[in-house]
Amino acid sequence: ARSGGPAGLPELHLICFHHEEEDILIRPELDLLATENPTRVRVHYCLSKPPPRWIGESGRPSTALLSKVVPPPTSGVRVLYCGPPPFNSAV
């Protein structure tokens, strides 16, 4: 997250890694949150097993993939992440 949204509120880039599209939990709610807050909330979905029609990101968590969708590290950026140990090791 970084400051820069309306009234200094932070921007939020939520990156959801899943195996398949069907694995994405609460997708309608996340999409609605992003739609209702277009200058503050961005949701990025990444699948390790994307279907042929998938237009989002694909692959496993990596520094290269994260650098495509999140702001570069600066003093005004905070990066928070959670996941199982293999995920945490990758990021």
Side-chain angles (χ1 to χ4, degrees), residues 15-88:
I15 307 162
C16 303
F17 289 94
H18 299 281
H19 290 291
E20 299 178 11
E21 191 170 9
E22 297 79 28
D23 297 335
I24 302 173
L25 302 176
I26 64 169
R27 185 176 187 176
E29 292 85 351
L30 293 174
D31 290 344
L32 180 61
L33 182 64
T35 300
E36 290 178 344
N37 301 278
T39 61
R40 293 194 45 230
V41 178
R42 292 186 177 82
V43 180
H44 309 276
Y45 300 104
C46 183
L47 302 179
S48 59
K49 297 178 184 176
R53 70 187 193 301
W54 182 251
I55 58 170
E57 299 293 333
S58 62
R60 308 279 304 181
S62 68
T63 303
L65 194 146
L66 292 173
S67 69
K68 290 171 61 175
V69 297
V70 297
T74 66
S75 62
V77 173
R78 288 184 178 62
V79 178
L80 308 170
Y81 62 93
C82 68
F87 172 85
N88 293 335

